[in-house]
Amino acid sequence: MAGEKKALVFKGIAASPGIAGGPVYQLEARELKLPTHRLSPEKVPEEIAAFQRALEETGRQLEAIKQRVAREIGEDKAAIFGAHQLVLQDPALVDEVEKRIRQGTNGAQAIAAVASELAEMLAQLEDEYLRERAGDIRDVGERILRNFLGVAEASLAHLQEPVVVFARDLTPSETAQLRPDRVLAFATIAGGRTSHVAIMARSLEIPAVVGLGEKVAAALPGAREAIIDGTRGEVILNPTPADWAEYRERKERYQEYNRRLVSLGELPAQTPDGHRVELYANIASPADLPGVEKVNAEGIGLFRTEFLYMDRNSLPTEEEQFQAYREVVERLAPRPVIIRTLDIGGDKDLPYLNLTREVNPFLGWRALRYCLDRPDVFKVQLAAILRASAYGTIRLMFPMIISVEEVRRARAVLAEVKEELDRRGEAYDDRMPVGVMIETPGAALTADILAREVDFFSIGTNDLIQYSLAVDRGNERVSHLFETFHPGVLRLIKGVVDAGHGAGIPVYMCGEMAGEVLATPLLLGFGLDELSMSPSSLPRVKQVIRSLSWRDARQMANHALGLNTAGEIKAYMERCLGNLKLD
Ligand code: PEP
Ligand code: MG
């Protein structure tokens, strides 16, 4: 078209395959910038009036949300917003903010400080009910602050039409709120391929590109429409008619390709010379099960249970968890479900737990470390999992193990919970296998010792790579160093498989590497017994396994282990896959 403006094209990290285009919706950064000035006495009445207006606006918003939630989700879920409305009348908040404004603190600073101090105080209390109110105060405090500053809320809940979402970053719980019918695709400035945002996008089957960097942030204000290609890792801002035409073609090709792969259906993941590998799916909640059914996964290799704890204001009860686990287990039975105990911390926060901010959260109070220190939380989950084990086949898995002592302590808590269930007369599978994730170098290098204590291993490559290469899995600045094919990573994996098999236990993999086709010949050759991945990756991996003899795969794996760099290994794997003529 004459005079047509050129579109802006950006490269990021391909996080979740597929392609989609539509209007741009920009999600604001969560951090609010607070003014730092002090108030002169004559400004005080104005500031107090502005605070009152913010309270009123907040009240109106909460009422609207309460009514919508009651209508669409249920009265019980709406009750929380009633509690939030009460906070607006709480003198401990309102009077204190006004007092500080009168003393010269600007309104924004006063609201932020009072809400945070109040929440902090409640969080310290013994009483569980009051402790939970800390989260309410934080939420409402933030809402008042936004209204005071006139900054719209960062929220995906109110989307009216399908959009492509751009954000600086998304927390795992924000990602969990993405509804595939409203969010066509999304792109983030930050994040790496194995950040939990990317993993969630794959399980929701929403095309996504992450780690786009600052150039995109600068270009976004003028963007009305965008195309996001999650397979190529490409984002086009303000596409031209020619871009849209190409987009439609690519989209059709992708859908056709997917249909062909899914039609592999019930065929087993077996090499032409008869070697069988089990292909399982990773899920975060029962809502992911349709995707699992679509690709005929043979089991669940990783149920990331922490997502049951997100997007709410208090810990899920034993009964709530039991219902979720039971639903998954019954739907899958007799196929196995590997349930991993709570892996919180790192990039997965639960605001209502009020975990203190850590300098290095990925090296901190995370996963099993947290659970062993909080047996009250841990035992509730173990009881729910054990009870669900009476309804199908569950294997229990502990994350982030670094030592035999941890395994023994976790098993001791499990034994206590079993005794408790015996006393309560509850049924469970007393022979439920117990395994551990191998996702720290410490565990990988002592796998022979750990293998004597457990029934299976599952290699978590996302963390194993992050910890062995010292590369933050969610930091786009160093994402080029997050190298799945690093020779050191391959040696660790091979060592774990050999140690597990040497001790007679199966070795699985549930990190993202399990779903990367470039790695499939290697993993096959190393002898992994089961690979678990986002359902959308499964058909393609199956296609590779069905096209490659086990003999050749072992040779390829041996050859790759003799190479010197990740680049050489990847180039070699690409040649191997190219020879298979898959498409
Ligand atoms: C891993 O670390 O590879 C893994 C599967 O666990 P998560 O991604 O949930 O940390
Ligand atoms: Mg992990």
Side-chain angles (χ1 to χ4, degrees), residues 227-249:
I227 293 172
I228 294 182
D229 185 335
T231 313
R232 292 191 182 175
E234 195 175 274
V235 165
I236 307 177
L237 294 183
N238 289 336
T240 62
D243 292 325
W244 282 116
E246 193 191 331
Y247 156 76
R248 277 187 283 278
E249 212 172 280

Side-chain angles (χ1 to χ4, degrees), residues 335-369:
R335 292 170 289 172
V337 177
I338 300 182
I339 301 187
R340 176 177 76 182
T341 58
L342 182 62
D343 181 3
I344 206 65
D347 62 348
K348 289 175 287 194
D349 186 22
L350 294 181
Y352 58 84
L353 290 182
N354 297 306
L355 303 175
T356 34
R357 234 171 230 259
E358 296 179 327
V359 177
N360 286 310
F362 272 119
L363 304 182
W365 204 36
R366 191 187 156 185
L368 193 71
R369 300 168 183 184

Side-chain angles (χ1 to χ4, degrees), residues 51-188:
F51 172 53
Q52 288 296 347
R53 279 197 302 278
L55 286 177
E56 281 159 24
E57 179 56 26
T58 306
R60 273 194 294 277
Q61 288 169 355
L62 289 173
E63 183 58 31
I65 298 176
K66 190 171 80 176
Q67 288 183 12
R68 185 172 53 79
V69 172
R71 207 171 45 242
E72 292 174 10
I73 309 177
E75 291 283 348
D76 54 330
K77 299 283 182 308
I80 172 77
F81 298 100
H84 283 195
Q85 284 172 316
L86 290 180
V87 173
L88 297 177
Q89 292 151 25
D90 187 340
L93 180 89
V94 180
D95 295 356
E96 184 61 28
V97 170
E98 293 191 2
K99 185 174 126 201
R100 295 201 192 181
I101 293 177
R102 274 194 282 274
Q103 288 165 347
T105 307
N106 75 57
Q109 292 284 355
I111 297 166
V114 173
S116 140
E117 286 162 24
L118 211 57
E120 205 69 354
M121 188 199 75
L122 288 171
Q124 309 294 332
L125 297 179
E126 282 290 307
D127 184 298
E128 196 186 329
Y129 174 81
L130 288 175
R131 260 203 330 261
E132 284 169 11
R133 298 283 74 78
D136 295 346
I137 301 271
R138 281 210 179 87
D139 271 17
V140 179
E142 162 131 357
R143 194 174 277 282
I144 302 171
L145 198 53
R146 284 189 178 279
N147 286 322
F148 184 85
L149 293 167
V151 179
E153 187 187 8
S155 169
L156 294 164
H158 325 296
L159 292 177
Q160 298 298 331
E161 55 164 356
V163 290
V164 295
V165 171
F166 282 82
R168 173 150 294 278
D169 201 359
L170 291 171
T171 63
S173 67
E174 281 166 340
T175 317
Q177 286 177 46
L178 300 178
R179 292 175 35 184
D181 58 332
R182 293 283 162 81
V183 178
L184 299 165
F186 74 83
T188 61

